[in-house]
């Protein structure tokens, strides 16, 4: 029996003990983690979705266990507490926080709401996205049947704000502008000042900015200014998206949020499910936000893993982009399929291809131990001429 099977059993025992003995099983839960394994094809290292390899904050785990005895009730007060904790963190009002089942859920709702509003007014609508970038806003817009304008990244692999603005200005309708800062998959930060020039000068009736800051907590660049500054200025054509899936290690819990003016948040209400956040997810979110030690630990781990990976890449003469997220976009010299399959054969799952950047690959920054395993394979690939 391997370690994972043992963990599965301890998880089952844990669930059983909840049913039979109340919720005194905190220690059992804390052992359910898959972060210290060695890569194998049966149990690959998951370095493909930009998750946090540290696992859930200990305080969040305890909060989940503690709340299980209450889940026969609706989660209203727990959701309100989460909204309040988020609002306090951003010095906003709780009414400015839109909670979603992941930030993907808020992205979906924003597109639906904007399309609905434009249709009601008989106006045309399009979505402008950098390319490549996080796909969801564009995919959803396409699914809704509205045109998607993809603007290639500039020569520095940043969002090409000039060209995105041109696409908006030349359209005789509403543009939903998807901005991803730092951008996924490149990890690059686009100048906050350049974005601010556009947002502040834009016609608010024609431009709606969706600013995705999924990786904001990892940013070390002092020049970064969050899009939340636009909300504090009272702009009704901006929403900032944040997630608990990245630094807060809650990808499996599904929790994200939008920050906007109260007016914008109110307009989104009909497009969100009521009481959409479960009690365990709500308490985990609240506890994670308050667990500053865990946030620091996650940031420190990311910095260490980034430093050791970039140092190794420098030594091996492998090009990479400066990353402000928990992943690294690096150059490969072989076919993407060969590279991804080669990594998989070594027990490492890495990011999918991001066309048209077919000579590049994205790896999530896991624990230093995980990065050591990744770098061992990279050294083999270097000898083969694949990187
Ligand atoms: C830029 C960006 N936005 C949003 C998401 C989706 O996050 P969530 O898990 O909150 O839906 C991701 C996921 O990888 C992402 O990279």
């Amino acid at each position: 029996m391997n370690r994972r099977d043992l963990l599965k059993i301890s998880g089952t025992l844990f669930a059983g003990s909840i049913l039979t003995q109340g919720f005194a099983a905190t220690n059992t839960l804390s052992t359910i983690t898959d972060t210290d394994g060695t890569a194998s094809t049966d149990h690959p290292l998951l370095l493909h979705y930009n998750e946090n390899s540290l696992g859930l904050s200990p305080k969040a785990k305890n909060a989940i266990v503690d709340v299980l005895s209450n889940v026969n009730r609706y989660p209203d007060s727990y959701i309100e507490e989460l909204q309040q904790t988020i609002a306090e963190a951003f010095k906003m009002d709780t009414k400015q926080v839109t909670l979603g089942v992941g930030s993907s859920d808020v992205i979906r709702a924003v597109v639906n709401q904007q399309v609905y509003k434009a249709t009601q007014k008989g106006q045309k609508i399009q979505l402008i996205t950098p390319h490549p970038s996080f796909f969801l806003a564009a995919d959803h817009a396409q699914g809704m049947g509205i045109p998607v304008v993809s603007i290639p990244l500039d020569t520095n692999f940043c969002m090409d704000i000039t060209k995105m603005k041109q696409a908006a200005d030349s359209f005789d309708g509403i543009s939903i502008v998807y901005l991803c800062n730092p951008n996924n998959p490149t990890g690059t930060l686009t100048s906050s000042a350049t974005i601010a020039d556009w947002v502040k000068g834009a016609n608010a009736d024609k431009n709606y900015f969706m600013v995705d800051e999924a990786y904001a907590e990892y940013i070390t660049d002092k020049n970064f200014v969050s899009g939340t500054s636009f909300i504090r200025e009272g702009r009704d054509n901006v929403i900032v998206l944040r997630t608990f899936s990245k630094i807060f290690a809650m990808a499996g819990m599904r929790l994200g949020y939008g920050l906007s003016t109260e007016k914008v948040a109110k307009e989104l209400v009909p497009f969100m499910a009521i009481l959409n956040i479960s009690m365990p997810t709500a308490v985990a979110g609240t506890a994670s936000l308050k667990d500053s030690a865990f946030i620091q630990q996650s940031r420190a781990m990311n910095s260490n893993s980034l430093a050791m990976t970039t140092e190794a890449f420098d030594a091996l003469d492998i090009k990479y982009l400066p990353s402000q997220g928990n992943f690294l976009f690096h150059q490969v010299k072989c076919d993407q399929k060969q590279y991804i399959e080669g990594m998989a054969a070594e027990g490492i799952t890495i990011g999918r291809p991001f066309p048209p950047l077919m000579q590049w690959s994205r790896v999530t920054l896991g624990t230093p131990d995980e990065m050591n395993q990744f770098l061992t394979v990279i050294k083999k690939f270097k000898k083969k001429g694949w990187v």
Side-chain angles (χ1 to χ4, degrees):
M1 186 184 301
N2 64 28
R3 189 173 167 278
R4 185 167 295 238
D5 293 333
L6 265 173
L7 290 175
K8 269 190 201 150
I9 288 174
S10 72
T12 313
L13 287 176
F14 162 71
S17 73
I18 290 286
L19 292 175
T20 55
Q21 300 160 23
F23 48 86
T26 318
N27 291 336
T28 315
L29 184 65
S30 70
T31 63
I32 301 174
T33 166
D34 64 355
T35 55
D36 59 353
T38 302
S40 75
T41 48
D42 280 349
H43 302 301
L45 268 190
L46 301 179
L47 300 179
H48 62 323
Y49 279 165
N50 304 341
E51 299 149 344
N52 182 346
S53 284
L54 276 183
L56 200 58
S57 126
K59 290 194 173 144
K61 281 184 189 173
N62 289 340
I64 292 170
V65 173
D66 288 349
V67 90
L68 287 176
S69 58
N70 297 352
V71 296
N72 53 321
R73 308 291 175 193
Y74 283 105
D76 310 53
S77 62
Y78 296 89
I79 291 178
E80 279 158 27
E81 192 186 355
L82 172 62
Q83 274 172 317
Q84 206 164 354
T85 310
I86 295 170
E88 274 165 20
F90 289 93
K91 299 191 171 51
M92 290 187 190
D93 191 275
T94 49
K95 295 196 185 95
Q96 295 179 261
V97 181
T98 302
L99 296 175
V101 182
S103 56
S104 311
D105 189 32
V106 188
I107 293 174
R108 174 201 57 75
V110 166
V111 174
N112 286 359
Q113 186 264 333
Q114 285 296 308
V115 172
Y116 173 77
K117 199 168 158 183
T119 311
Q120 290 291 98
K121 289 183 174 173
Q123 286 173 313
K124 286 194 205 165
I125 185 158
Q126 66 173 4
L127 183 131
I128 302 172
T129 181
H131 185 68
S133 187
F134 185 61
F135 64 95
L136 200 106
D139 264 21
H140 190 63
Q142 225 150 29
M144 297 283 293
I146 73 164
V148 172
V149 182
S150 294
I151 305 291
L153 301 178
D154 67 15
T155 48
N156 294 319
F157 298 87
C158 296
M159 290 185 282
D160 193 332
I161 298 298
T162 307
K163 295 226 170 80
M164 291 179 82
K165 182 176 180 307
Q166 277 165 4
D169 290 348
S170 59
F171 184 63
D172 61 341
I174 296 165
S175 294
I176 306 172
V177 179
Y178 176 73
L179 298 173
C180 192
N181 215 19
N183 188 47
N184 175 12
T186 50
T188 44
L189 210 53
T190 298
S191 152
S192 298
T194 308
I195 293 173
D197 278 350
W198 183 13
V199 173
K200 291 182 185 188
N203 177 346
D205 293 328
K206 281 193 66 196
N207 297 268
Y208 185 98
F209 296 93
M210 201 187 324
V211 188
D212 189 338
E213 296 182 352
Y215 301 94
E217 295 85 0
Y218 288 109
I219 295 173
T220 51
D221 187 329
K222 299 272 182 294
N223 294 318
F224 171 74
V225 180
S226 166
T228 51
S229 61
F230 305 131
I231 314 293
R232 289 196 196 87
E233 289 164 0
R235 297 182 190 279
D236 289 328
N237 63 329
V238 182
I239 186 161
V240 174
L241 303 156
R242 295 284 182 112
T243 180
F244 282 85
S245 299
K246 306 303 172 185
I247 205 164
F248 297 107
M250 283 177 52
M253 302 288 289
R254 310 306 300 127
L255 181 62
Y257 55 99
L259 296 167
S260 64
T261 61
E262 203 178 317
K263 178 171 179 278
V264 168
K266 210 169 166 187
E267 284 173 352
L268 280 175
V269 170
F271 297 87
M272 309 301 300
I274 193 164
L275 296 180
N276 56 352
I277 308 303
S278 76
M279 212 183 267
T281 302
V283 296
T286 302
S288 298
L289 268 180
K290 290 180 176 171
D291 193 348
S292 49
F294 176 78
I295 298 169
Q296 287 309 329
Q297 191 191 356
S298 298
R299 270 199 201 116
M301 181 191 83
N302 199 60
S303 298
N304 283 342
S305 294
L306 178 63
M308 63 182 278
T309 310
T310 52
E311 273 164 29
F313 279 5
D314 287 341
L316 293 166
D317 199 22
I318 298 170
K319 286 207 178 75
Y320 54 86
L321 299 183
S323 175
Q324 290 288 313
N326 65 342
F327 51 93
L328 193 61
F329 207 51
H330 55 282
Q331 232 171 18
V332 296
K333 290 184 177 156
C334 63
D335 179 66
Q336 275 279 342
K337 193 166 178 282
Q338 190 177 30
Y339 187 71
I340 291 170
E341 286 179 1
M343 279 285 170
E346 297 281 353
I348 300 179
T349 311
I350 52 165
R352 65 176 174 86
F354 292 95
L357 304 180
M358 295 307 280
Q359 294 302 305
W360 294 83
S361 176
R362 188 192 70 194
V363 66
T364 301
L365 297 166
T367 62
D369 177 55
E370 288 174 339
M371 298 327 286
N372 265 327
Q373 294 183 54
F374 168 75
L375 290 169
T376 303
V377 178
I378 282 286
K379 282 172 199 151
K380 282 193 205 169
F381 284 10
K382 183 72 188 174
K383 285 191 186 134
K384 293 182 183 184
W386 289 6
V387 285

